[in-house]
Amino acid sequence: MTTGLHPGEAPQDPRPTGNHTLPRQERVGPGTLHADNRTRSSVITARAAATFDPVGRSVATARSFVRDTLQGWGFADIVDDAVVLTSELVTNAVIHAGTSADVLCLRSDDGVRIEVADLYPEREIPLQGSPANMGSPDREGGRGLQLCAALAGRWGVEYTPTQKQVWFQLDLPERAVGTRSAGPSLPAALLPLADGRVRVAVIQIDRAGAIAAWNEDADELFGYAPESVIGKPLTDLAAWPHTPGTSTGVVEALQLSRWEGSYGIRGANGRVTPVYASHLRVRDTDGEPSTVCLLVRDHERAVLQTPLRGSSSDTSSSSEGPNTDPFEVFIGSPAPDDLDGLLQRTVERARDMLDADSAFLLLATDDETELEVRASTGLPSARQRFARVPVEAGPGRYGSARMPAVHDDLSAVPGAVPLLSGTGMRSVVTVPLKVEGRLTGSLGVAAESPGRYTNEEALRLQFAADRIALAVESARLGELERLRRGSLSFLVEASDLLAGTLDRDQTLALMAQMTVPTLATWCAVYTIADQASDPYLSYVLHEDEDLIDGLKALLSKIATPDPVPTPGARVWSAPAEAAHQAALRTSMRSLGLNAPTSISSGIGTTLATAAAVGGETVVLPLVARNRVIGMLTLGKPTDEHFRQEILELAEDLSRRAALALDNARLYSERSAISQSLQRSLLPPELPEIEGVEVEVIYRAAGEGNEVGGDFYDLFPIRDGAYGFAIGDVCGTGPEAAAVTGLARHALRLLAREGFGGPAVLERLNSAILDEGARSRFLTLLYGELWPQEDGSAVLKVVCAGHPLPLRLRQDGTVEPAAEPQPLLGVLEDLELYEQTITLDPGDVLLCVTDGVTERREGTRMLGDDGLTDVLRTCTGLTAGAVAARIMRAVERFASDAPSDDMAILAMRVPGLQKD
């Protein structure tokens, strides 16, 4: 891949100039065609270009290139759309068109344009009439233009004589910058609530993301002394909302010139404090950038939150009368551009409008059977967020969220409003949010005293709900669309990562790392070896590494979840209950109740673990090939719940992960069987021969050590006589392994029956031919060895098509020790003969397979001459040193991994030892 970056470049049209460009037509939106006569009116402020080879891995590389480029430009809002479109278009180029792909990213004032070109201009894209029919979005291929039409603001196709180019433009979302405003004077009862003393934490972050300053209020709010946090990254403390496609990451937020919003800070006690923050990027007199962060408790956000400027008409209307409803003032002003901000503003205004102690807003699920808590004020929002309650909570009118309801005293009807159980609220009024008659949510306000609300307040709240319902539904659909795009990008990259490994442990690690912290705070993976085995805890991960050991210990002590094959997530309460009981016992021991008075050193760890797993825990089955092979467990910290969209994304990921894990299991089993079979085809150990040194080196080529290929053997025939063999079967796999096993065991059996070398090989040749279609050619060097009393050794050898054995004499001369004869498994009638040689003291006999002599580096090959040259340098070495030097020379001859098995058998006669 080749890339180039040119920030701040002058305006430039990247298309070819002159008469070489042959524009066809450009499609702007679905079904609209016009001549391609556009001009670029916006200034190009930066460019990034890259070229990708026509191989499958280029698609993932192109996605990373576009993601890194747009993140570097600060365009996190459109990254997911750009990655999805680029992935489809580059796939069309490198996979379907089979050519390299040129990717060009252009930054301008109003958006980003990305162009993908391939070298296959003849492969035209059909343009059809209105409306354009681009096929089904569910099919595997051909979705590039359909996605362009759905996601891009503008897109088009153009051809030249040498290439075809598809381009798309993504517009940047509008952001209000530099807004200033002043609010009207309000009665004290309508002012936002705050503690007696408002503490504003001031934290300064250096350019590397580490904490450089920490004031006293930060110490009071979060429990850390300055010296314990200065120098640490803010990401170690920040509990950031990691919802794909719906938020900017903490690292990106610190790089923006100004940022404002909500997140959490993990305190010294292990609990997360919701905060509202305002970030400002500054630089000192030396030009060194840093970020100043102002933080308050989330319920005191009014101290920092920047009000949005209302239109002049709103201002005039709001000042027409002294009795203007504050909620109507809010409805008439521009709403926050994000769903969470809109919902939070709604509940705060609803609470102030009815002078309530708390307010809450719930959104309905797609099937309208449940309501999901999305915003609240005056309630423990962290505990309630994303919790679910049924739409029909009771048989009567007041038990349904579809109708307005007023409860004078909740203590008289316990459980009427499940959200308020245990909160101390007594009176409550709830009204539905409806769009075109369809239930989309529920808005409620509550007070600590009974009898506060009547039907009049319910009508006022219903009027406000009717005004805001459409805006809330529109923002909700926008969030779902962003989540869908982010989820698509997430699943594409997850599939690539899972498909890139066949290692079981690495697959387990990838599963966990993809879910934490994107989908959950912690996860655990259980695996099931077979139908008769119990689930086994194989991997545990938490976003805080210090909590992993405690979490693993906790999960090891409780019963594993049942391996139910039913798809979907199911709630598992055992971890939270076990953590609660452990924390309770630890706290009692620390107080000296029913336990020794000494405080346990593990209190901090136990309480931190309890807080980490105290929220909602769900289990998703890992089903592959109609069998449950494990469970994926996801968890949240204390009092937090999963939102439905995240569970659906996790379910989709679990299906992909299950297949990848099962593939890794099958590959591991296959490799283990292959290695076991390979070992069974080789002798377990070599016999010790008095008067002869023997050394064997065997290297199996290929990942997983494919069976078959080369083999060797050395075995006693009778007293004072030994047989040895080294051979190579044509091919690999089960057929080659069958011939290898046949050869090795037949040699031993026939030699011990008293047959000589030629007779042994002739009978082996007949046995190989009897295998029929499963037979394989076999080159074999077989010999018999007799050590002599004078220190020499007599050998009788038969070389059937195998590389000739080499004899190294003490004077350094090297010569072949046998003559070539026909290989086995080809001819039915063989006339083989054996040759007798005598190894004098100090002589070496070297036998190798063709994996050694045919070692290649480009067009060069080691060959017989190269092997001879290396052997000449081995004079005076032991058999082990000779074999090691040969192997080292072979490995150094080429940089690539060996493509063929290699076997080296070295025998040396050291001679008689003198007293």
Side-chain angles (χ1 to χ4, degrees), residues 251-276:
V251 177
E252 293 83 358
L254 292 174
Q255 299 298 319
L256 299 177
S257 60
R258 185 181 294 274
W259 184 90
E260 190 173 312
S262 299
Y263 52 93
I265 295 294
R266 190 175 293 105
N269 59 1
R271 294 187 175 274
V272 175
T273 301
V275 298
Y276 191 84

Side-chain angles (χ1 to χ4, degrees), residues 546-547 549-551 553 586 600-612:
D546 294 337
L547 299 178
D549 292 338
L551 178 59
T586 302
S600 171
S601 60
I603 289 179
T605 302
T606 303
L607 296 180
T609 303

Side-chain angles (χ1 to χ4, degrees), residues 29 125 216 304 324 365 412 430 455 464 503 506 518 587 652 676 689 700 779 785 805 812 864 898:
I125 298 177
E216 292 182 2
L304 297 180
T324 302
T365 56
T430 61
N455 288 338
D503 182 83
Q506 188 174 3
T518 304
S587 299
D652 206 346
S676 177
I689 304 177
T779 67
L785 168 67
D864 295 333

Side-chain angles (χ1 to χ4, degrees), residues 449-535:
S449 57
R452 285 280 300 274
Y453 304 115
T454 64
N455 288 338
E456 181 180 352
E457 282 82 9
L459 289 175
R460 292 182 63 199
L461 189 62
Q462 184 66 71
F463 176 75
D466 293 341
R467 293 287 300 275
I468 197 64
L470 186 59
V472 169
E473 180 66 3
S474 177
R476 186 186 72 87
L477 293 176
E479 181 193 63
L480 289 177
E481 180 65 13
R482 289 192 299 274
L483 179 62
R484 184 190 63 81
R485 296 178 185 179
S487 300
L488 179 59
S489 177
F490 172 78
L491 290 174
V492 166
E493 295 192 11
S495 298
D496 275 356
L497 289 173
L498 291 171
T501 178
L502 287 172
D503 182 83
R504 176 183 176 276
D505 294 337
Q506 188 174 3
T507 302
L508 289 171
L510 283 174
M511 290 170 57
Q513 291 165 8
M514 284 185 292
T515 56
V516 176
T518 304
L519 305 181
T521 306
W522 63 269
C523 88
V525 182
Y526 293 85
T527 56
I528 303 174
D530 52 58
Q531 298 293 347
S533 302
D534 294 328

Side-chain angles (χ1 to χ4, degrees), residues 691-692 787-793 839-842 909-912:
V692 179
Q788 303 297 308
E789 294 182 357
D790 60 358
S792 63
L839 295 182
D840 298 325
V909 180
L912 295 176

Side-chain angles (χ1 to χ4, degrees), residues 558-842:
I558 61 179
T560 60
D562 295 330
V564 179
T566 306
R570 52 192 172 93
V571 176
W572 185 34
S573 59
E577 294 173 355
H580 175 74
Q581 293 297 327
L584 181 61
R585 289 193 300 269
T586 302
S587 299
M588 293 179 64
R589 284 199 303 269
S590 69
L591 297 174
L593 302 176
N594 301 324
T597 57
S598 60
I599 298 178
S600 171
S601 60
I603 289 179
T605 302
T606 303
L607 296 180
T609 303
V613 302
E616 187 175 42
T617 302
V618 297
V619 179
L620 298 104
L622 297 175
V623 181
R625 298 176 175 91
N626 299 321
R627 186 174 73 88
V628 180
I629 63 170
M631 285 92 66
L632 177 63
T633 304
L634 307 180
K636 287 282 190 179
T638 299
D639 298 333
E640 289 195 19
H641 298 264
F642 287 97
R643 57 186 305 176
Q644 184 62 26
E645 294 81 4
I646 294 299
L647 293 180
E648 292 173 357
L649 180 58
E651 184 179 356
D652 206 346
L653 175 64
S654 68
R655 288 194 293 268
R656 289 166 165 80
L659 186 58
L661 183 61
D662 199 45
N663 288 339
R665 176 189 64 82
L666 293 174
Y667 181 78
S668 299
E669 291 179 357
R670 177 178 176 272
S671 298
I673 293 173
S674 174
Q675 293 171 8
S676 177
L677 181 56
Q678 184 75 65
R679 288 191 297 269
S680 71
L681 299 177
L682 301 175
E685 58 184 12
L686 297 177
E688 293 185 4
I689 304 177
E690 185 177 356
V692 179
E693 297 175 358
V694 179
E695 181 67 25
V696 175
I697 296 180
Y698 183 85
R699 294 286 187 273
E703 187 176 359
N705 296 337
E706 188 71 33
V707 298
D710 300 357
F711 70 96
Y712 66 90
D713 202 359
L714 179 64
F715 56 91
I717 300 176
R718 50 189 173 273
D719 292 342
Y722 296 86
F724 66 91
I726 184 169
D728 184 3
V729 178
C730 175
T732 58
E735 292 82 2
V739 176
T740 300
L742 173 64
R744 179 170 167 269
H745 295 293
L747 288 175
R748 289 195 172 209
L749 178 62
L750 294 172
R752 288 170 177 170
E753 288 295 323
F755 292 98
V760 169
L761 268 61
E762 288 169 2
R763 285 165 173 75
L764 176 59
N765 180 67
S766 299
I768 294 174
L769 292 175
D770 288 343
E771 292 292 307
R774 297 184 301 172
S775 64
R776 289 289 187 272
F777 305 151
L778 170 64
T779 67
L780 180 64
L781 172 65
Y782 173 75
E784 297 179 356
L785 168 67
W786 288 271
Q788 303 297 308
E789 294 182 357
D790 60 358
S792 63
V794 175
L795 294 87
K796 293 183 179 181
V797 298
V798 180
C799 186
H802 199 77
L804 299 180
L806 299 179
R807 176 180 182 176
L808 171 65
R809 296 183 181 273
Q810 282 187 306
D811 59 3
T813 59
V814 177
E815 60 185 9
E819 296 178 355
Q821 299 183 60
L823 74 167
L824 308 182
V826 181
L827 304 176
E828 293 185 1
D829 297 326
L830 290 181
E831 294 183 1
L832 303 175
Y833 59 91
E834 62 184 7
Q835 297 173 268
T836 302
I837 59 173
T838 301
L839 295 182
D840 298 325

